[in-house]
Amino acid sequence: MTPLGRFFLQPQIERFLRIKPESKADVYLTVFDGADVENLNYWIELVLSAAIATFGLILNSPAVVIGAMLVSPLMGPIIAAGLALAAADVYLGIKSLAQLALSTLAAILVGAFITWVLPFDTPTSEVLARTRPNLLDLGVALSSGLAGSLLVCRSRSPEGGGVSALPGVAIAVALMPPLCSVGFGVGSGFAVPIVNGAGLLFLTNLAAIIAAAFLVFLAIGMNSDDVRLGIAAGLMERAGKDPVYKMLERRTGVSRALSKVGELRWRVLMLLVTLGILFVPLTVALSQLRLEAIAREAISQAVQTISPREGIITQNTSIPAEPNPIVVRLIVTDPVEDQKVEEAERNIMRVTGREVRLRVRRVANEEELVSLREGLAGQAETAAMQNLQAIHADVLARIERPLKDLWPENQASLAQFELAFRPSGILLRIAYSSENKLDAAVEQVLAKALGDRLGIPNLQLLLEQQEPAPAE
């Protein structure tokens, strides 16, 4: 910002946002402390947040994922990176970027480890929702970054309300779930679409928040000489023993190169290039999303011309990337003419400009199913009766021959026999006509022989004597 612009605009912005100039040094040091790599509480919160987010993604629970957003401390180093760019603070920039890199790696590793340990590698809707970022996500991230930066700047003001509103910003920007989605993709066998999509979403959020924080801190004059003087003592107290800070203070070749890169025009150029690189795939994704919405609307209208809504059992629509055709599969209960299917395909193709394949399969309706069940029941009953008759004839044929071969005709005359199936075994009851009852030895020999011939080891035999008919 030029001196003239700083003179006229900065006081107005400060008055509008109700930011006191004397509070800027405290805000600066507060943001500086948020990028402390040695802060144990930060790493505990990061690991717990990553674990909660991963479990929420696997369980497909939006409430659990929201809880992970509230615990996540990632906004601290990201806001610090924006402040470092605005104030041209190379030391704060190195600290914040190092913490961001370590935090990103830690969150991905936690997500990958939990996914690898648990036997769930099928992506849920919560995971898939973070694999297709578009330009709208960039707008959300920019708005959230502006809100978070303003809340941090106003946190020292009695009217700011920054602390109470920060959880809402954390939920809106959603930094941890995309990282854990990347970890899910790595832990489930390195699923490239999930890793790339979720990684692009995280980079979009990261770059947008840093850019928004840069604009806010630059607009309120966090790079002014008054702020630098106000933080000098606190900065020396915090960084006096840090080797990185001492290296930058010695004005070595590295520190001189970083100071040149830290000029305002280079900082603005870095942000614009980064956002421009992200802008291209996000715009393509948004365009594809718009085309999918148009295609689905055209498909919905075309399907209504084929069959009424109550006649459609299922509808499955696949809209892959070009040049693959759009595929729509319908299962209906009413007959559909081929002419209507072809007309619906032409209507969809005219709206979308893509090849369409409409597959319609008809199944029986309720009345047809009732009639079919009744017919099948009648056929089953008839078949059962025929089977029983065939079994009856087969059993008689199997028993009759060995019985006649083994029966002692010289001692008794065979009258009739019947077969009974009992839980304890098979019983063969034989009625014979004789003046004298057959003795037990004959009965045992006959039971053993019949059992061997029929293949029934435990055949139960019951002989019943009948008086012979008197002679005429």
Side-chain angles (χ1 to χ4, degrees):
M1 183 180 294
T2 63
L4 183 62
R6 185 181 299 115
F7 177 81
F8 284 106
L9 294 180
Q10 182 182 319
Q12 295 178 5
I13 295 174
E14 291 178 358
R15 284 196 301 269
F16 178 75
L17 298 177
R18 297 183 180 180
I19 298 174
K20 296 181 179 181
E22 59 270 18
S23 67
K24 294 180 184 179
D26 293 335
V27 172
Y28 198 111
L29 293 176
T30 301
V31 175
F32 185 92
D33 292 336
D36 186 8
V37 181
E38 298 178 356
N39 189 348
L40 181 60
N41 290 332
Y42 173 88
W43 296 109
I44 293 175
E45 291 176 1
L46 180 79
V47 172
L48 292 177
S49 174
I52 295 171
T54 305
F55 284 121
L57 293 172
I58 295 175
L59 293 172
N60 202 30
S61 174
V64 178
V65 175
I66 291 174
M69 300 177 197
L70 293 174
V71 180
S72 173
L74 280 173
M75 281 292 286
I78 296 177
I79 295 292
L83 177 58
L85 282 175
D89 190 337
V90 179
Y91 175 57
L92 178 58
I94 293 175
K95 281 174 59 69
S96 59
L97 291 179
Q99 189 171 14
L100 278 173
L102 293 175
S103 301
T104 301
L105 180 61
I108 293 175
L109 290 179
V110 170
F113 177 75
I114 293 176
T115 306
W116 177 73
V117 170
L118 296 178
F120 305 103
D121 55 359
T122 302
T124 61
S125 59
E126 284 293 318
V127 174
L128 297 177
R130 290 161 176 86
T131 58
R132 299 187 62 187
N134 55 64
L135 205 58
L136 300 179
D137 295 300
L138 181 62
V140 172
L142 284 171
S143 303
S144 302
L146 290 172
S149 304
L150 290 173
L151 291 173
V152 169
C153 294
R154 290 165 52 87
S155 61
R156 297 296 178 180
S157 172
E159 303 172 355
V163 176
S164 62
L166 277 175
V169 177
I171 294 175
V173 73
L175 291 165
M176 187 58 71
L179 279 181
C180 294
S181 297
V182 174
F184 180 90
V186 174
S188 59
F190 208 86
V192 176
I194 295 178
V195 173
N196 291 343
L200 178 60
L201 178 58
F202 174 74
L203 292 177
T204 300
N205 293 338
L206 179 64
I209 297 172
I210 292 177
F214 167 79
L215 293 175
V216 171
F217 290 131
L218 188 65
I220 65 173
M222 294 295 282
N223 59 337
S224 64
D225 295 335
D226 295 337
V227 176
R228 294 181 187 277
L229 291 175
I231 67 171
L235 185 62
M236 286 299 299
E237 181 182 353
R238 289 168 170 78
K241 298 180 180 180
D242 193 337
V244 177
Y245 182 78
K246 292 181 178 180
M247 183 271 294
L248 294 173
E249 286 295 313
R250 282 198 298 266
R251 304 298 296 173
T252 60
V254 176
S255 63
R256 285 194 296 270
L258 290 175
S259 63
K260 289 183 177 298
V261 175
E263 294 179 2
L264 180 60
R265 63 176 181 273
W266 295 112
R267 288 176 275 150
V268 174
L269 182 61
M270 283 189 296
L271 288 176
L272 291 178
V273 169
T274 303
L275 294 177
I277 293 173
L278 295 174
F279 186 83
V280 175
L282 295 176
T283 303
V284 173
L286 181 62
S287 176
Q288 185 177 358
L289 186 65
R290 183 182 66 85
L291 294 177
E292 287 186 8
I294 295 174
R296 292 186 185 278
E297 179 64 23
I299 291 170
S300 177
Q301 295 179 0
V303 166
Q304 292 179 3
T305 64
I306 295 177
S307 177
R309 187 176 300 275
E310 59 273 8
I312 299 176
I313 298 177
T314 60
Q315 175 181 338
N316 185 12
T317 303
S318 175
I319 308 178
E322 294 188 82
N324 298 319
I326 298 174
V327 180
V328 183
R329 295 180 177 85
L330 295 177
I331 298 180
V332 299
T333 57
D334 300 326
V336 178
E337 299 178 358
D338 295 339
Q339 182 179 359
K340 287 187 175 181
V341 176
E342 295 174 358
E343 183 179 356
E345 287 182 343
R346 288 194 296 270
N347 292 336
I348 300 173
M349 190 180 304
R350 184 173 60 254
V351 175
T352 61
R354 295 179 57 181
E355 183 182 356
V356 180
R357 296 177 183 175
L358 183 57
R359 302 287 183 261
V360 181
R361 181 180 178 185
R362 181 180 178 271
V363 297
N365 55 30
E366 187 175 355
E367 295 179 356
E368 293 173 335
L369 289 176
V370 171
S371 177
L372 180 61
R373 282 196 295 267
E374 292 177 352
L376 291 176
Q379 295 177 4
E381 185 176 354
T382 302
M385 293 300 297
Q386 294 175 351
N387 289 337
L388 288 176
Q389 292 175 358
I391 292 172
H392 174 263
D394 183 64
V395 170
L396 288 180
R398 288 176 179 271
I399 295 177
E400 189 173 6
R401 178 176 296 277
L403 182 58
K404 288 183 178 181
D405 293 342
L406 298 174
W407 183 256
E409 288 288 344
N410 56 348
Q411 299 183 28
S413 175
L414 181 63
Q416 62 181 6
F417 66 90
E418 62 181 11
L419 193 68
F421 296 91
R422 294 180 174 180
S424 59
I426 299 177
L427 172 67
L428 178 61
R429 182 183 292 112
I430 300 175
Y432 63 92
S433 175
S434 174
E435 293 181 355
N436 301 319
K437 185 178 181 181
L438 296 175
D439 55 13
V442 174
E443 183 176 352
Q444 292 178 0
V445 172
L446 185 60
K448 180 68 170 59
L450 284 174
D452 294 340
R453 289 284 297 272
L454 297 174
I456 305 174
N458 299 323
L459 179 64
Q460 302 175 16
L461 185 64
L462 178 61
L463 301 179
E464 295 181 353
Q465 180 188 12
Q466 295 180 356
E467 295 293 334
E472 295 182 358

